[in-house]
Amino acid sequence: MRNNILLPLVILLCLHFPSISQDSISAEVEKYVSHPRGSYLLQNLTLVDGTGQPARRNQDILINGEYIAEIGQDLDIPENTRVIDMNGRSAMPGMVMLHEHLFYPKSTPEANYGVDQMSFSFPKLYLAGGVTSMRTGGSIMPQADVSIKQWIDEGRIIGPKMDVTSPHMDRVGVPIMEMFNFDSPEEAVRQVNFYADLGMTSIKVYNFLTREDLKAIVDAAHARNMKVTGHLCSITYREAADIGIDNIEHGFGSCPDFVENKVADQCYPFMVPGLLASDPGSEEVTGLIRHLIENNVAMTTTINVWEPYTGREIVPGGGLVALAPTAKHMVYQRWASMQGKDSVAIAQFNKLKLLDKQFHDAGGLLVAGTDPTYDGRIVAGYANMRLLEIFIEMGFTLPEAVMICTYNGARYLDLDETIGTLEKGKLADIVIMKEDITKNVSAIRSEKIVFKNGIGYNSRALFEAVKGYVGIR
Ligand SMILES: [Zn+2]
């Protein structure tokens, strides 16, 4: 009997979700395609190629299938190639962003913080913002994130290529009900292996774990070919580097090394005074940066998270239009109540701008991520565009800013042979902007063709598709 009841459902599911081969795309994805896979000669572009080298003008890019076949001036036109004059437009590699999430915050009366999964809107928004590859920086619905990655790879839904990170691994401490905790290094190792078996490829650790926990997690993760990143609090950056962590999140924004009289393995959530008192020129700071670099620890700046309220956009990057009415209300209330009252946040933002840049300038691998959490002002896609603008505010040159958002991310993920720069032989992951980014970094907000694996998608159509839905789906 049971079988009889289930059978129609199974047939229905099969009809509804035809199996799709690796290289095909569904009608759902097709809607956003402006340039189907083929052969294109894109002429007269201004290129910022991701290597950190100065921009080049009057460049042609030849795309053949999934790959960049050639880049140079006045390229010959091969047979069966569509020629497109891109005069006035500019191009950079697809962004490779390393602290993204597929969730958005909500306020709850039961716990002071919570998030909702945005499986439907965020993958579209990331791609629309120019992100062609991303690592999630912690998952709230691990099975959903793994599944979304698979659906994107199979061409069923649209979004960037993904490196999926585990849920935030931690001991009890952070009052977020949706987080899962462990109480021994053995249990932590069991969770690492569980996440690896699920198909996750990175591990994220959080605020309250001990050094012993971290050591066990790092060893277990490395044995499974996974890298470990941390938003730390109980463990200092110096200690984490000694233990063998691969990456530290939030730049110096969650750095416990400057907390006075810090007790080992103990989290002090209020790290701002130590941070504000830290002197960028001191041995305390320069020595720590040197120690991280010597131990091959990459640092992810999420400087946009600290963007102050006063006189700034409500949702930086232009993302207010994306929010559902309830989310808009929540974000606006907070933003309005903080106008003129965020002097500490402004000081913190300015200090972090110095320190995160100092890590890069000293030769550290600085990577970028936007971390759409906190107060709801950070919206996928829009925040990625905004982060590039903030990098210019920080004093980075445009080629440096682009490199941090592209090549550096690819280097961290060990994917720099295939993505991260505009070079012959690499995958055609290319952001073509309607305006010239060398004239104004905000050209990143102009309409884009986002090529991923040689297929061009229209950013406007993607943004339009989810306008008013962030916070709901
Ligand atoms: Zn995060």
Side-chain angles (χ1 to χ4, degrees):
M1 281 301 281
R2 273 188 180 166
N3 282 345
N4 287 345
I5 294 168
L6 279 175
L7 196 60
L9 182 68
V10 170
I11 291 169
L12 193 72
L13 285 171
C14 291
L15 287 174
H16 206 71
F17 303 109
S19 68
I20 294 163
S21 75
Q22 198 72 16
D23 228 19
S24 62
I25 54 175
S26 67
E28 164 56 29
V29 174
E30 193 84 52
K31 285 193 281 195
Y32 308 102
V33 173
S34 57
H35 297 74
R37 187 167 284 149
S39 187
Y40 296 96
L41 184 62
L42 314 177
Q43 291 180 320
N44 297 317
L45 279 161
T46 295
L47 296 191
V48 182
D49 68 8
T51 62
Q53 295 303 307
R56 287 175 285 153
R57 303 201 175 276
N58 301 314
Q59 298 290 309
D60 300 349
I61 302 178
L62 178 64
I63 298 174
N64 196 354
E66 283 178 88
Y67 294 96
I68 297 172
E70 196 66 69
I71 297 183
Q73 258 175 342
D74 302 320
L75 296 182
D76 291 337
I77 305 170
E79 256 179 81
N80 301 319
T81 297
R82 192 174 146 203
V83 179
I84 308 173
D85 184 11
M86 293 286 184
N87 195 19
R89 297 182 187 235
S90 55
M92 60 180 263
M95 291 193 232
V96 185
M97 302 297 273
L98 294 195
H99 191 133
E100 308 314 314
H101 290 297
L102 293 178
F103 55 72
Y104 184 78
K106 63 190 171 195
S107 53
T108 64
E110 296 86 358
N112 61 14
Y113 195 75
V115 293
D116 278 332
Q117 182 78 5
M118 294 292 126
S119 297
F120 300 90
S121 57
F122 273 22
K124 290 187 184 74
L125 288 173
Y126 278 120
L127 194 70
V131 180
T132 50
S133 297
M134 67 184 198
R135 179 188 67 183
T136 52
S139 156
I140 212 77
M141 275 179 71
Q143 84 287 358
D145 286 8
V146 170
S147 184
I148 287 165
K149 175 203 161 56
Q150 286 168 356
W151 281 46
I152 290 170
D153 287 346
E154 290 166 8
R156 287 177 169 192
I157 59 164
I158 197 162
K161 292 172 270 191
M162 280 170 62
D163 178 275
V164 182
T165 299
S166 71
H168 306 57
M169 291 190 62
D170 208 358
R171 289 196 176 235
V172 174
V174 177
I176 298 177
M177 186 169 64
E178 291 144 325
M179 273 179 49
F180 199 52
N181 300 115
F182 56 79
D183 54 15
S184 69
E186 294 73 31
E187 171 58 15
V189 167
R190 199 191 64 75
Q191 289 185 10
V192 167
N193 286 314
F194 174 72
Y195 296 137
D197 292 341
L198 260 187
M200 311 198 111
T201 39
S202 288
I203 292 288
K204 164 92 175 265
V205 298
Y206 212 42
N207 289 178
F208 284 85
L209 72 173
T210 67
R211 288 162 296 167
E212 196 190 346
D213 298 331
L214 181 62
K215 174 87 176 86
I217 289 170
V218 165
D219 289 348
H222 287 173
R224 299 293 302 263
N225 218 4
M226 302 162 95
K227 289 188 181 182
V228 179
T229 194
H231 170 173
L232 302 175
C233 181
S234 53
I235 301 170
T236 64
Y237 286 11
R238 185 176 280 276
E239 290 164 344
D242 288 333
I243 290 169
I245 202 165
D246 301 289
N247 186 192
I248 281 171
E249 297 305 304
H250 305 303
F252 285 93
S254 57
C255 183
D257 297 52
F258 308 135
V259 172
E260 242 181 284
N261 303 319
K262 184 183 176 308
V263 175
D265 294 335
Q266 198 147 338
C267 173
Y268 299 81
F270 303 104
M271 295 187 276
V272 179
L275 174 77
L276 293 183
S278 67
D279 172 3
S282 66
E283 170 58 25
E284 186 188 28
V285 172
T286 57
L288 175 58
I289 288 175
R290 212 167 42 240
H291 191 74
L292 295 174
I293 295 170
E294 281 167 6
N295 285 281
N296 280 321
V297 180
M299 183 176 265
T300 313
T301 178
T302 61
I303 185 80
N304 60 303
V305 171
W306 284 277
E307 180 153 15
Y309 295 90
T310 305
R312 300 268 180 161
E313 271 177 295
I314 302 172
V315 176
L320 190 63
V321 291
L323 299 186
T326 45
K328 203 177 272 184
H329 181 72
M330 172 185 84
V331 170
Y332 179 74
Q333 294 276 35
R334 167 95 177 154
W335 177 86
S337 74
M338 290 301 289
Q339 291 300 308
K341 295 176 195 154
D342 57 350
S343 57
V344 175
I346 292 169
Q348 193 179 358
F349 182 62
N350 290 333
K351 180 54 77 73
L352 286 173
K353 280 158 89 174
L354 293 176
L355 293 176
D356 290 4
K357 183 168 186 293
Q358 194 176 342
F359 179 77
H360 166 89
D361 292 345
L365 181 62
L366 187 70
V367 298
T370 59
D371 193 20
T373 51
Y374 190 44
D375 59 3
R377 289 174 78 207
I378 301 147
V379 176
Y382 296 96
N384 302 86
M385 300 188 292
R386 177 63 192 145
L387 187 53
L388 199 64
E389 295 173 344
I390 296 179
F391 283 163
I392 302 302
E393 240 186 70
M394 286 167 82
F396 286 117
T397 65
L398 179 67
E400 282 174 327
V402 168
M403 181 177 74
I404 293 163
C405 293
T406 59
Y407 182 50
N408 285 6
R411 279 172 65 196
Y412 177 78
L413 294 172
D414 297 321
L415 294 172
D416 49 313
E417 295 275 303
T418 50
I419 60 170
T421 59
L422 298 179
E423 286 178 273
K424 178 181 175 174
K426 287 202 174 179
L427 283 168
D429 289 357
I430 310 167
V431 178
I432 312 272
M433 292 156 276
K434 195 167 193 173
E435 294 168 14
D436 183 350
I437 195 166
T438 63
K439 293 194 175 133
N440 181 354
V441 66
S442 294
I444 188 66
R445 300 191 191 203
S446 65
E447 190 174 336
K448 292 173 276 299
I449 308 165
V450 181
F451 278 94
K452 188 188 85 168
N453 291 357
I455 298 176
Y457 301 95
N458 178 261
S459 68
R460 184 166 36 85
L462 287 162
F463 279 129
E464 283 294 334
V466 294
K467 250 180 199 170
Y469 288 109
V470 168
I472 296 175
R473 64 187 194 202

